Amino acid sequence: MKSAGEIKALLTISMCVCFGLVQVPLWAEIAGVHIINADNEPGSWLTHARTYAEERYSPLNEIDADNVSRLGLAWYFDTNSSRGLEASPLLIDGVIYTTLAWSHVHALDARTGSHIWHFDPKVPKAWGSKACCDVVNRGVAAWGERLFVGTIDGRLIALDRNSGAVIWEKLTIDPELPYTITGAPRVIKGKVLIGNGGAEYGVRGYLSAYSVDDGTLLWRFYTVPGDPSKPFESKAMQMAAATWHGQWWEVGGGGTVWDSMAYDPDLDLLYFGVGNGSPWNRHIRSPGGGDNLFLSSVVAVTPDNGEYVWHYQTTPGDSWDYTATQHIILADLPIDGTVRKVLMQAPKNGFFYVLDRSTGELLSAEKYTRVNWASHVDLQSGRPVETEQADHSETGKLTQPMPLGGHNWQPMAFNRDTGLVYIPAMESTASYSTDRSFTYLKGHWNTGQSSGDAESTGALSPALMAALTQTLLRGRLIAWDPVQQREAWRVEHSGMWNGGVLTTAGNLVFQGSGDGRLVAYRADSGELLWQTVTRTGVIAPPISYRLDGEQYVAVMAGWGGAAPLVISQASSVNGKNGRLLVYKLGGRKRLPENPTEALKPMPPKEPGSPESVARGGALYGLYCARCHGARAVSGGLLADLRYMQPGVRQLFKEIVLGGIFNDKGMISFADVLNEGDVAAIQDYLNERSRALLEYESSPEWWQAVQTWFFKQALRVAGLFL
Ligand code: CA
């Protein structure tokens, strides 16, 4: 018995067959055939990266390299959100569906921007403390007349696409554990696929498939083994358990599936990327060694039942947060004279991988950014060859890339015409060291790394590391030839944290930047052709669609995500109001100017003792720095505590211990801090505030410090010459 909707969809398809129509009309419902044949409907954007191959390539060419200079703002939508916007919107039947921070969903008329409906899943704000990398959401999936969204507190919700009404809702996680969902679901063969995040806190990763009809759980693929005294969930888990040692399951093991998926309908294989271990440090996580499958791997399964088919592990025994959750792209490429069905990924570890997607065989792997943890990937064994710089078990090491990776979640794009992959890449260095006193604290940061202001790293002082992170982080757009495995061109950015990428048949590449611009480049040469001011940093990938013969480019603009939480390399624009920005040729709309902030640091007159300031700094590094920034220098996302005003200072104890800002996402730390600790942290913040007021606000001071630290770093590390 088929539902009315299914019959309507079938009618649509058979009409197309009968009349030989080129386009599959979308007045009916989204079904697999629409997404598989997405090129028949190039004006729409039906799934996360437009196609199941996740190319982020638009076949539209009305906007091209010759006329893109006439691009202008058609309309914009104020989201009233001040947190990171990472969503890739969908475009179906003239309507844009997008998501904001805190998992809100909006539907807007794609021609005019007029608002149609809004869905607020009412996530408790305190759940934000479990999100490593901002309370972001990367978008919805569509199937039938339904949309699917994962919420930051672990629910999967089916909405009516026309009204935004809830059809069903499922809790996909154990609410006692610090899981979060930030990724966009995908729908394949009537199954909604959703993973989760949380590996920095201590969880066990998995990917789940739910029925689109009623949310029944159809299968679940765990990525790391559980307690081996209990039965394994699958043969894959039995195989994986042989690569682990110790009591990894007590912390969780990690391996969360928090972003990437792709699907090949001919091979009928679903691919997904697996994240880092819990805790990060392999000497703590799995004493005795082992590859720790399926951490940092690409895994292929059968979508009907979630059965394991193959895997490729990019970073065996990961110890650096080198997730393989980065964007996966499928393409058919000529390799050594033969067209191969490949899978491409540029994971955090700095190598660009080309795999045979039928078998998982490694075809090639080369460095796309500065890498010193491995010299190369051995093509025979498929394994990286680690260097001395990788091992921080005895002494701290300066390792490249840093935990944010050579490439993070920001999607890359593959242009079918140029054959190039455009990577929003980063170059970075971090000091890694083993936390010898690691004890698992349920619900808290559990990476097994000593970091931030907490203590000396063994290699470098915290102050030097802070300056290093200011000085040695680079962001760039790289055009990568995946066949030759080499860079074709690059564009340097002013900061490390920039937007995802769109490429089009108009020989164009679009990317937003952390410094608040949307830019169009020539896809074949990298020449800058057009740019516009976005009034906030852009991290999301643009999409493109066509209505009434007009092509549009749309992007969510809203600064945030992992980097600005912890690194003070803020976007140079102070705009916090996130927006959906939509452009077309001849668009003439203008964005309002940003309001200017007038706060000044106001430290109290009485400083704390040097001992208290030092102790407060260590505690700050442990518990506060990962949201409010190393050395209390905020990246512009959450409060810069150096600017704390007297009224807030009076309430400091109530905020940190009493939890009075719980509903804003600032939870109580009473389980790990006492009143003396809080007083010490306040002394440290007062000292940081005084330093800012007295000398650090001078640009000359910063420049002098950075130059000095840079020279020291060159001498100490001997890495960069
Ligand atoms: Ca991670």
Side-chain angles (χ1 to χ4, degrees):
M1 191 66 192
K2 293 196 183 301
S3 72
E6 280 175 300
I7 290 167
K8 214 160 81 178
L10 283 172
L11 278 174
T12 314
I13 297 155
S14 51
M15 274 173 62
C16 296
V17 173
C18 295
F19 296 105
L21 297 179
V22 177
Q23 297 205 338
V24 179
L26 281 166
W27 48 265
E29 301 172 336
I30 306 302
V33 66
H34 296 108
I35 301 175
I36 290 169
N37 297 312
D39 284 354
N40 291 342
E41 187 63 29
S44 300
W45 197 282
L46 304 178
T47 185
H48 188 60
R50 201 185 72 82
T51 57
Y52 276 142
E54 300 260 328
E55 299 149 288
R56 293 197 173 274
Y57 167 83
S58 169
L60 301 177
N61 59 8
E62 285 82 3
I63 301 170
D64 63 21
D66 292 329
N67 64 20
V68 69
S69 60
R70 294 201 292 114
L71 207 58
L73 193 63
W75 57 266
Y76 66 87
F77 168 63
D78 273 321
T79 65
N80 297 314
S81 165
S82 60
R83 302 293 291 264
L85 300 182
E86 297 190 352
S88 181
L90 298 188
L91 189 290
I92 305 168
D93 276 351
V95 179
I96 284 193
Y97 302 97
T98 195
T99 62
L100 314 181
W102 300 110
S103 329
H104 286 236
V105 188
H106 286 268
L108 300 129
D109 184 310
R111 291 175 178 84
T112 63
S114 70
H115 196 256
I116 301 172
W117 56 255
H118 166 218
F119 170 69
D120 175 3
K122 299 199 161 49
V123 173
K125 293 290 190 287
W127 206 280
S129 67
K130 303 174 197 197
C132 67
C133 306
D134 202 359
V135 288
V136 293
N137 188 281
R138 298 192 196 90
V140 292
W143 193 268
E145 295 201 11
R146 293 175 182 190
L147 297 179
F148 305 91
V149 63
T151 66
I152 197 87
D153 58 349
R155 291 171 286 155
L156 179 66
I157 301 177
L159 301 173
D160 183 311
R161 178 152 65 79
N162 301 305
S163 66
V166 174
I167 298 170
W168 55 255
E169 176 176 322
K170 293 285 165 180
L171 185 62
T172 71
I173 57 156
D174 175 350
E176 297 301 313
L177 294 171
Y179 284 103
T180 49
I181 297 179
T182 56
R186 315 294 200 277
V187 187
I188 294 167
K189 301 171 97 174
K191 297 170 185 65
V192 195
L193 299 153
I194 191 73
N196 46 55
E200 271 59 56
Y201 298 77
V203 296
R204 182 186 181 198
Y206 54 87
L207 176 70
S208 311
Y210 292 87
S211 162
V212 290
D213 295 327
D214 56 7
T216 305
L217 178 64
L218 301 173
W219 55 259
R220 176 164 288 174
F221 186 98
Y222 285 96
T223 58
V224 298
D227 182 348
S229 70
K230 296 174 184 161
F232 293 113
E233 290 89 353
S234 64
K235 279 189 184 147
M237 282 304 96
Q238 192 170 2
M239 172 174 93
T243 67
W244 290 74
H245 298 282
Q247 272 96 39
W248 70 88
W249 62 91
E250 288 173 359
V251 181
T256 49
V257 183
W258 56 262
D259 196 62
S260 62
M261 290 179 240
Y263 174 58
D264 183 328
D266 296 328
L267 296 171
D268 196 27
L269 289 179
L270 161 66
Y271 310 96
F272 58 89
V274 183
N276 57 278
S278 277
W280 287 357
N281 197 309
R282 66 185 174 201
H283 308 288
I284 301 169
R285 184 178 68 237
S286 181
D291 287 350
N292 297 179
L293 292 175
F294 295 100
L295 296 183
S296 306
S297 301
V298 175
V299 179
V301 300
T302 309
D304 287 332
N305 54 19
E307 259 179 38
Y308 168 90
V309 179
W310 61 255
H311 79 276
Y312 176 79
Q313 191 172 36
T314 59
T315 312
D318 169 47
S319 211
W320 311 271
D321 190 18
Y322 288 164
T323 65
T325 45
Q326 279 55 51
H327 181 193
I328 289 169
I329 296 179
L330 312 182
D332 294 348
L333 296 182
I335 306 230
D336 296 332
T338 316
V339 174
R340 302 286 295 257
K341 288 174 181 290
V342 308
L343 178 154
M344 299 182 282
Q345 192 187 44
K348 278 187 184 177
N349 76 12
F351 288 92
F352 189 97
Y353 293 87
V354 179
L355 307 177
D356 181 316
R357 70 174 180 270
S358 314
T359 61
E361 178 197 350
L362 174 67
L363 299 178
S364 61
E366 293 294 337
K367 294 172 180 176
Y368 64 87
T369 187
R370 207 184 275 269
V371 172
N372 75 357
W373 72 276
S375 59
H376 64 287
V377 178
D378 179 64
L379 289 184
Q380 243 38 56
S381 64
R383 298 174 68 88
V385 180
E386 287 184 16
T387 66
E388 201 177 287
Q389 218 58 31
D391 181 5
H392 51 262
S393 59
E394 296 298 324
T395 54
K397 290 284 168 62
L398 272 179
T399 307
Q400 300 164 320
M402 74 183 297
L404 286 169
H407 169 217
N408 206 285
W409 68 271
Q410 288 92 330
M412 44 190 204
F414 172 67
N415 189 304
R416 297 176 192 167
D417 312 313
T418 64
L420 298 173
V421 177
Y422 305 95
I423 313 167
M426 297 181 285
E427 183 177 305
S428 63
T429 307
S431 171
Y432 288 87
S433 64
T434 301
D435 177 4
R436 288 173 207 294
S437 56
F438 175 75
T439 41
Y440 171 55
L441 286 173
K442 190 175 173 182
H444 286 278
W445 195 249
N446 283 299
T447 61
Q449 292 280 333
S450 40
S451 63
D453 302 14
E455 60 182 79
S456 166
T457 59
L460 292 171
S461 70
L464 178 51
M465 270 321 298
L468 271 176
T469 52
Q470 289 287 326
T471 312
L472 296 180
L473 302 179
R474 297 271 183 274
R476 59 178 67 105
L477 175 63
I478 294 175
W480 189 261
D481 180 337
V483 176
Q484 302 297 326
Q485 281 278 23
R486 65 176 178 226
E487 191 175 300
W489 53 259
R490 70 162 68 177
V491 173
E492 296 288 347
H493 290 309
S494 65
M496 70 179 290
W497 196 241
N498 300 290
V501 183
L502 164 74
T503 188
T504 75
N507 192 21
L508 293 171
V509 174
F510 289 92
Q511 189 194 21
S513 61
D515 58 16
R517 293 169 300 141
L518 179 65
V519 187
Y521 305 93
R522 269 186 80 101
D524 53 7
S525 70
E527 183 191 348
L528 191 154
L529 298 172
W530 170 84
Q531 60 180 331
T532 189
V533 167
T534 52
R535 305 243 184 258
T536 179
V538 179
I539 51 176
I543 68 158
S544 190
Y545 60 90
R546 181 174 59 195
L547 288 166
D548 313 322
E550 271 191 306
Q551 185 184 351
Y552 297 80
V553 173
V555 68
M556 302 297 294
W559 182 238
L565 279 174
V566 67
I567 295 171
S568 58
Q569 191 224 31
S571 88
S572 63
V573 278
N574 63 4
K576 287 194 168 183
N577 181 15
R579 296 186 175 100
L580 169 59
L581 306 175
V582 180
Y583 300 86
K584 66 175 185 180
L585 293 177
R588 302 178 68 87
K589 198 96 179 165
R590 293 185 71 86
L591 284 176
E593 298 281 339
N594 290 332
T596 47
E597 290 184 24
L599 281 185
K600 285 207 159 47
M602 294 182 68
K605 291 203 173 65
E606 292 296 313
S609 70
E611 295 75 27
S612 180
V613 169
R615 197 167 79 82
L619 290 166
Y620 177 91
L622 272 176
Y623 298 110
C624 320
R626 70 178 178 76
C627 285
H628 290 282
R631 301 183 74 237
V633 184
S634 160
L637 189 52
L638 296 191
D640 190 316
L641 299 175
R642 299 172 303 166
Y643 290 84
M644 200 186 305
Q645 302 296 296
V648 178
R649 194 175 294 120
Q650 277 186 349
L651 291 171
F652 194 66
K653 194 177 75 183
E654 275 64 44
I655 296 167
V656 180
L657 298 181
I660 59 170
F661 283 175
N662 201 51
D663 61 349
K664 294 183 178 184
M666 171 61 202
I667 58 162
S668 162
F669 284 76
D671 55 340
V672 284
L673 297 174
N674 60 35
E675 287 194 15
D677 297 336
V678 173
I681 291 171
Q682 194 152 19
D683 283 340
Y684 170 72
L685 292 173
N686 292 342
E687 171 57 26
R688 297 293 301 127
S689 182
R690 191 189 60 76
L692 175 65
L693 188 69
E694 289 180 8
Y695 53 89
E696 285 187 11
S697 49
S698 133
E700 295 78 22
W701 183 86
W702 257 113
Q703 203 173 9
V705 168
Q706 290 190 9
T707 307
W708 185 83
F709 279 133
F710 186 65
K711 285 181 184 162
Q712 296 301 309
L714 290 174
R715 199 183 317 148
V716 173
L719 287 173
F720 310 107
L721 295 174

